Amino acid sequence: MWRRKRILVTGGAGFLGSHLCERLLEEGNDVLCVDNFFTGTKDNIVHLLDKPHFELMRHDVTFPLYLEVDEIYNLACPASPIHYQHDPVQTTKTSVHGAINMLGLAKRVGAKIFQASTSEVYGDPEVHPQTEDYRGNVNPIGPRACYDEGKRCAETLFFDYHRQHELEIKVARIFNTYGPRMHPQDGRVVSNFIIQALQGEDITIYGNGEQTRSFCFYTDLIEGFIRLMATDKSVSGPMNLGNPYEITIRELAERVIEMTGAKSKLIFKDLPADDPLQRKPDITFARNTLGWEPTVTLEAGLGSTIDYFRNLIAQHG
Ligand code: NAD
Ligand code: UDP
């Protein structure tokens, strides 16, 4: 007999998690959002709270969770350097204990489980663009290690549960993604630059601005999540998901100034320790396996993100 799929989204009140919950509800699923509201907020999901197939639970994934679900998307973890470095021990615990708890849950109920891993597993990469077989260049004792090594260890756990307990896993390595509902104070480059420009402040470039990133709009990424989760058992990943369009941070600042019509100047600050100099996904694997590739241009994505922050500032100052 047909019944709705019961899907757990950890970190569901965050930027990506809230968009994912929305998409899963639209597809007719029963969605359980679990979050401890460290970086996420009820505002991101308030419009879902009166939907009968949406449920919200305040819970920290470093503690075990017992419930019955068919699928799990494990997104719980602060993603911006400011937030994940605020309490680095908790960040590692969230990635590692969180993975153990969610994998344990998946094993008990026989659920399929998705892990939101990251391009940070490649560290400051010597291979460009990054392919999934590149093993990375991570400093295990630096300020980013709590996040990078936590996520690497989570990947290890996912693959060990897969080999040892035959769990069906889907591991996505997400590259920089942006869009509406990013936390305005999380210090990530897209939100920082847009907010600075809209408020007429100087734009803070760390280092000389020649470092590169490749920015994916959230709608493209969520589509990749859904397609990866729908693959058959033989596909576990890890799979890069991101937009291969690469840009320097300086160029990004100039685009934001141009698009907002701001008078902001560029000011240069120290480059944080271990800040990767280049990053661009090779998405051949995703293209071939999912028939997926990003469709939203940087210009269109920035336009809608600028509109979002403009409204937010108008409402809250
Ligand atoms: P986010 O900070 O907006 O969302 C993370 C969510 O997890 C928040 O709602 C937060 O409150 C919650 N959370 C944190 N610790 C928790 C805990 N111990 N228990 C329960 N909930 C907890 O960040 P995001 O950009 O939406 O990222 C979501 C996931 O995607 C993260 O795992 C992140 O590492 C990964 N990721 C994101 C990007 C990106 O560019 N946005 C890139 C690579 C990987
Ligand atoms: N960055 C910057 N100014 C800012 C915020 C970030 O120049 O106000 C730089 C940062 O040093 C990095 C890049 O932008 O080189 C992307 O930073 P973000 O924190 O968004 O993501 P990540 O470093 O994790 O890719």
Side-chain angles (χ1 to χ4, degrees), residues 91-303:
T91 299
T92 305
K93 279 189 190 168
T94 294
S95 277
V96 177
H97 292 189
I100 291 170
N101 289 329
M102 292 309 113
L103 286 161
L105 169 61
K107 180 178 160 220
R108 185 177 62 79
V109 299
K112 179 155 68 160
I113 180 165
F114 173 103
Q115 168 67 356
S117 190
T118 167
S119 53
E120 284 283 320
V121 300
Y122 301 123
D124 188 6
E126 299 129 320
V127 167
H128 195 73
Q130 291 79 58
T131 43
E132 288 88 353
D133 59 358
Y134 175 50
R135 293 183 186 178
N137 175 33
V138 173
N139 173 2
I141 56 168
R144 295 174 87 101
C146 58
Y147 183 74
D148 301 7
E149 297 291 10
K151 290 282 189 179
R152 285 170 68 96
C153 184
E155 285 199 9
T156 306
L157 285 160
F158 268 70
F159 279 85
D160 281 336
Y161 268 77
H162 173 62
R163 281 185 292 257
Q164 198 175 330
H165 300 299
E166 290 168 18
L167 226 67
E168 188 171 354
I169 60 162
K170 309 287 175 192
V171 176
R173 290 184 178 155
I174 305 165
F175 284 64
N176 297 62
T177 301
Y178 69 100
R181 298 197 198 138
M182 291 183 87
H183 193 300
Q185 268 106 37
D186 75 4
R188 281 189 267 190
V189 69
V190 173
S191 43
N192 262 15
F193 285 2
I194 293 177
I195 291 169
Q196 288 165 343
L198 291 176
Q199 296 189 321
E201 293 165 6
D202 293 337
I203 306 267
T204 53
I205 294 191
Y206 303 157
N208 60 12
E210 292 308 310
Q211 71 270 37
T212 69
R213 293 292 187 274
S214 307
F215 297 99
C216 184
F217 194 58
Y218 80 91
T219 48
D220 283 330
L221 188 80
I222 300 294
E223 180 62 32
F225 283 13
I226 301 287
R227 291 196 195 187
L228 175 56
M229 194 60 140
T231 51
D232 68 43
K233 240 189 156 105
S234 66
V235 180
S236 301
M239 181 183 284
N240 289 340
L241 291 179
N243 192 322
Y245 177 74
E246 187 182 11
I247 180 172
T248 67
I249 294 304
R250 192 189 178 115
E251 272 177 84
L252 176 72
E254 285 161 357
R255 291 255 194 126
V256 169
I257 290 178
E258 195 186 305
M259 289 182 70
T260 51
K263 305 249 174 321
S264 308
K265 292 196 302 290
L266 304 185
I267 56 166
F268 294 86
K269 298 202 162 185
D270 290 344
L271 189 68
D274 297 333
D275 197 286
L277 289 180
Q278 52 180 1
R279 187 182 287 153
K280 169 181 171 161
D282 180 318
I283 58 164
T284 311
F285 181 38
R287 245 191 214 119
N288 293 345
T289 313
L290 311 180
W292 172 89
E293 65 185 336
T295 58
V296 181
T297 61
L298 186 60
E299 178 145 30
L302 282 180

Side-chain angles (χ1 to χ4, degrees), residues 11-17 34-41 59-62 74-79 90 94 116-119 147 151 174-177 188:
F15 159 48
L16 294 175
V34 161
D35 208 295
N36 70 350
F37 299 113
F38 174 48
T39 52
T41 152
H59 174 81
D60 183 327
V61 294
T62 60
N74 187 37
L75 272 64
C77 185
Q90 174 67 11
T94 294
S117 190
T118 167
S119 53
Y147 183 74
K151 290 282 189 179
I174 305 165
F175 284 64
N176 297 62
T177 301
R188 281 189 267 190

Side-chain angles (χ1 to χ4, degrees), residues 19-46:
H19 289 296
L20 177 62
C21 286
E22 218 170 272
R23 170 75 187 261
L24 293 170
L25 280 169
E26 275 164 23
E27 292 186 353
N29 300 294
D30 233 22
V31 176
L32 172 57
C33 164
V34 161
D35 208 295
N36 70 350
F37 299 113
F38 174 48
T39 52
T41 152
K42 254 191 198 165
D43 291 336
N44 286 340
I45 44 162
V46 76

